[in-house]
Amino acid sequence: MRRRTFLTALPAGAALAGALPANASATQATPPAPRSRPAPTPPDQVVGMGDRITGAKYVGRSTVWGQHGAAATAHPIATLMGIETLKRGGSAIDAAIAINAALGFLEPTGNGIGGDAFCMLWDPKQGKVVGFNGSGPSPRLLGLETARSRAKDGLLPRYGAVTVNVPGTVDAWWSAHQKYGKLPWKDVLLPVAELCEQGVPVPQVIAFYLERNMAVFERNRDVIEEHDNRRKVYAPNGETAKTGQIFANPDLGRTLRLIAEGGRDAFYNGPIADAIEGYFRRIGGWMTKADLNAHQTEWVEPIRTNYRGVDVYGLGPNTQGLSTNQLLNICEQFDLKAMGFQSAASIHHQAEAKRLAFEDRAKWFADSRFSETPVAYLNSKAYAAERARLINPNRVMDRVFPGDAPTQGDTTYFSVADSDGMMVSWIQSNYRGMGCGLVADDGHGRTLGFMFQNRGEMFATTDGHPNIYAPGKRPFHTIIPGFACKDGKPWMAYGVMGGGMQPQGQAQIIINMVDYGLDPQEAGDTPRWQHYGSTEPTGEAAAAGSGKLHLESGVPAVTKARLTEMGWSLGEPDGGFGGYQNVMMQQNPDGRWTYGAASEMRKDGLALAY
């Protein structure tokens, strides 16, 4: 190596020392003290989006288009699983079941067969939107006083056996397949079992949440009755899989094979049910085989409102689907388009509508088998007009209250559609991240490979509250699928994940597309807002003042400044803005419809159509 080249390869200090005169010592040449420099700003805080040749500049990718089928999920392999199921002759429901089963393995941070499922779909034979409620009830051996004894400050704990309800997902699969499946039951599930056994690399967002969830369980291990099974499945080498590392779950693969061969009864009245009952008996829980076998999915009539010519559908209580309708009904009283896209006025009116709707949510929403919610009244335009008059266009409301009506986390969402015109909007969750922290085993050293939901946390414990805990009762549910129609034809199977963000996010998607003319991908990629601090259906009181309005980074600075002037307390972006998927049917002039599919840039997912 030549001397000049060698010097440039050395660290700066070494190069300087080599340049000293031969008769000078290192101690004689004291270099000047280095200047203190501020730490550089991380590039992701100063670097903006690249430039697209067409469409909105903030959009990460184009809506994808196809004519035979489409799928949009939170994981690329789940999307591929859905497309492959369609190509094998499966219906959109077959594809939905395959996708959901795959996501329970691929994205255990948001869903799995230990949780509940809800769905709305366009039935092309009936020419209408139908839906089901796949949420399970609380154990019948767990009484109110026992549940209260585990509460703190009147709120049930976030983790442990007291939060476990009957998992409704597998029965939802079975019930939907009985009505709409084309492929044999086992042919839908066996490819997923093989996937669990082979393993896949973990993507970035799921790796982040997997590590964080496991750390949360360790911090709360005093309220979780058993720990080894969870660690064995999700951190088999003492830590969770990092981005790009292979994760496999052969125990879940074995469970799915039992379900593939034995149908829903394998889970609710067979070997899996026996294992679940034995496990909870050993750890001091309450779930029994009788609880499991008694559960059935409920097919329901969705509720509907019309927003500026678009029919928007939701599922009624015990879900919060009515909140989306109420939010939109209030917003319809104002000219959001004239206010301007991403303007302070538009966001202000939307957020105030949310605050009003969520007070009704806290007062009324519960299992309709135990208490009656005045759905028709709360969903009416007259009531929305009454509530809208409470909004000050220039100033945030100091406090909001529920209306006087006559005598009320983490999730995965996906959309899929087939060549017959069936469009499925499906949401499924273990509630708070991965769930309650408990993974059952069969009593012989093998786990079942999935975690139970902690949806029971959402019960209230206050006497007289519609959502008060009771044995055999379904808790208030945050997870809601979305569906919209135009002119009597299906338009969108869409949804936004994330606890209380879901009705807020669904309304923003509809507003972005109806009021501001955005396409499915643009509607999802635009910056979002989320308001925290409303009264909760658990009985938790509203936050002081107007709560906190969180805005994503892309909201214009002038909008943020004006919202502050209006009295809003703004929060920094916190990653809680949901995860969105959408499959849209476009009616074309030649009479042939096509599908446009969009996925969520905030997740690891992918939309495909063919």
Side-chain angles (χ1 to χ4, degrees):
M1 181 184 292
R2 290 184 297 176
R3 185 173 184 273
R4 182 183 299 273
T5 306
F6 175 71
L7 285 175
T8 60
L10 287 174
L16 178 63
L20 291 174
N23 60 351
S25 68
T27 56
Q28 291 173 323
T30 303
R35 298 178 181 177
S36 61
R37 298 180 178 177
T41 302
D44 63 357
Q45 294 184 18
V46 295
V47 177
M49 296 283 292
D51 292 327
R52 289 170 55 83
I53 196 65
T54 185
K57 299 301 182 185
Y58 58 81
V59 178
R61 53 192 147 181
S62 303
T63 298
V64 299
W65 291 93
Q67 59 180 318
H68 302 296
T73 86
H75 196 291
I77 294 176
T79 301
L80 286 170
M81 186 73 69
I83 294 294
E84 289 169 0
T85 303
L86 293 175
K87 287 187 171 182
R88 287 192 287 126
S91 68
I93 279 293
D94 290 326
I97 296 167
I99 287 169
N100 196 182
L103 285 169
F105 161 59
L106 298 166
E107 191 192 19
T109 52
N111 75 116
I113 59 175
D116 289 340
F118 295 83
C119 172
M120 286 191 291
L121 63 90
W122 177 262
D123 183 333
K125 291 184 178 179
Q126 295 189 66
K128 61 181 290 189
V129 178
V130 300
F132 68 67
N133 179 329
S135 62
S138 56
R140 295 188 179 275
L141 294 181
L142 176 60
L144 173 60
E145 292 310 314
T146 302
R148 276 178 169 161
S149 72
R150 304 298 178 97
K152 183 178 181 181
D153 298 326
L155 302 176
L156 291 171
R158 294 180 174 184
Y159 308 104
V162 74
T163 69
V164 178
N165 287 1
V166 171
T169 295
V170 173
D171 189 72
W173 292 351
W174 181 259
S175 182
H177 186 267
Q178 295 298 298
K179 286 179 176 286
Y180 298 108
K182 288 185 175 180
L183 295 177
W185 169 256
K186 66 178 181 179
D187 290 354
V188 175
L189 290 180
L190 287 178
V192 183
E194 294 175 3
L195 188 71
C196 297
E197 293 154 358
Q198 294 168 359
V200 297
V202 178
Q204 183 180 23
V205 174
I206 293 172
F208 170 79
Y209 281 116
L210 187 59
E211 181 178 32
R212 192 166 84 165
N213 272 263
M214 293 298 284
V216 168
F217 292 138
E218 294 301 325
R219 290 198 298 272
N220 290 274
R221 56 185 177 272
D222 58 324
V223 298
I224 301 174
E225 290 84 352
E226 188 274 325
H227 306 280
D228 290 341
N229 291 349
R230 175 183 72 248
R231 295 164 182 159
K232 185 184 298 184
V233 173
Y234 299 110
N237 299 314
E239 60 180 12
T240 58
K242 303 300 185 289
T243 303
Q245 294 179 350
I246 303 295
F247 171 71
N249 190 346
D251 287 353
L252 179 58
R254 186 183 307 111
T255 296
L256 289 175
R257 287 186 182 277
L258 288 172
I259 297 169
E261 296 298 332
R264 67 84 68 192
D265 283 349
F267 190 95
Y268 294 93
N269 196 32
I272 301 171
D274 291 332
I276 291 172
E277 180 178 69
Y279 173 75
F280 280 108
R281 186 185 303 118
R282 290 196 305 275
I283 69 168
W286 299 272
M287 186 71 65
T288 67
K289 185 175 181 179
D291 289 321
L292 293 161
N293 191 39
H295 171 68
Q296 288 188 329
T297 299
E298 180 185 8
W299 289 85
V300 297
E301 187 75 23
I303 57 177
R304 179 182 63 86
T305 192
N306 187 277
Y307 182 76
R308 309 195 204 280
V310 173
D311 287 323
V312 180
Y313 292 83
L315 297 180
N318 57 322
T319 83
Q320 61 178 338
L322 178 57
S323 295
T324 301
N325 290 25
Q326 287 189 274
L327 206 162
L328 289 171
N329 285 343
I330 295 171
C331 285
E332 192 179 36
Q333 309 300 313
F334 306 99
D335 190 348
L336 299 184
K337 183 177 181 180
M339 293 177 186
F341 177 58
Q342 290 286 321
S343 69
S346 179
I347 293 175
H348 168 73
H349 284 81
Q350 293 176 55
E352 291 286 59
K354 176 268 178 183
R355 293 177 66 204
L356 292 166
F358 269 47
E359 291 305 309
D360 287 336
R361 182 186 83 142
K363 178 179 179 179
W364 296 107
F365 292 12
D367 188 343
S368 59
R369 301 172 305 173
F370 285 73
S371 63
E372 185 176 351
T373 302
V375 172
Y377 184 85
L378 296 175
N379 193 43
S380 70
K381 299 294 186 180
Y383 180 66
E386 175 187 322
R387 300 291 273 168
R389 284 193 290 271
L390 299 174
I391 297 176
N392 184 328
N394 300 308
R395 186 73 188 174
V396 64
M397 292 180 288
D398 292 330
R399 291 195 65 187
V400 293
F401 298 94
D404 292 324
T407 314
Q408 169 198 76
D410 292 309
T411 305
T412 198
Y413 172 82
F414 58 88
S415 309
V416 61
D418 64 25
S419 59
D420 293 329
M422 179 179 288
M423 299 174 66
V424 175
S425 178
W426 190 295
I427 197 159
Q428 205 260 300
S429 174
N430 280 7
Y431 182 46
R432 191 177 291 280
M434 295 177 71
C436 72
L438 296 170
V439 174
D441 59 70
D442 62 4
H444 303 288
R446 296 185 302 189
T447 78
L448 299 185
F450 66 88
M451 188 175 292
F452 292 95
Q453 64 184 347
N454 53 349
R455 185 64 61 176
E457 179 199 344
M458 294 302 291
F459 279 116
T461 60
T462 307
D463 286 334
H465 196 291
N467 189 42
I468 188 172
Y469 177 83
K473 183 178 181 178
R474 299 177 301 195
F476 165 76
H477 253 279
T478 55
I479 60 175
I480 48 172
F483 208 97
C485 294
K486 278 185 177 180
D487 303 320
K489 296 180 180 179
W491 184 34
M492 295 195 304
Y494 73 103
V496 179
M497 317 165 201
M501 179 64 195
Q502 292 176 63
Q504 300 179 64
Q506 285 190 6
Q508 287 175 66
I509 295 301
I510 292 291
I511 289 167
N512 286 339
M513 297 184 71
V514 174
D515 292 287
Y516 299 117
L518 305 186
D519 75 15
Q521 192 65 49
E522 293 168 345
D525 280 358
T526 187
R528 294 189 192 133
W529 58 267
Q530 180 177 195
H531 176 265
Y532 296 95
S534 296
T535 308
E536 292 294 331
T538 58
E540 185 175 355
S546 60
K548 189 80 71 173
L549 181 62
H550 288 254
L551 303 173
E552 287 196 297
S553 302
V555 174
V558 65
T559 296
K560 296 176 182 178
R562 176 59 184 143
L563 287 167
T564 301
E565 291 173 1
M566 297 168 81
W568 286 102
S569 176
L570 300 186
E572 295 297 319
D574 63 352
F577 297 94
Y580 156 79
Q581 320 290 343
N582 192 349
V583 171
M584 180 188 76
M585 177 183 281
Q586 177 172 290
Q587 306 294 333
N588 297 310
D590 63 1
R592 298 177 58 192
W593 44 261
T594 49
Y595 291 125
S599 187
E600 176 57 89
M601 62 88 171
R602 297 164 186 84
K603 299 287 185 179
D604 296 312
L606 179 70
L608 290 175
Y610 72 103

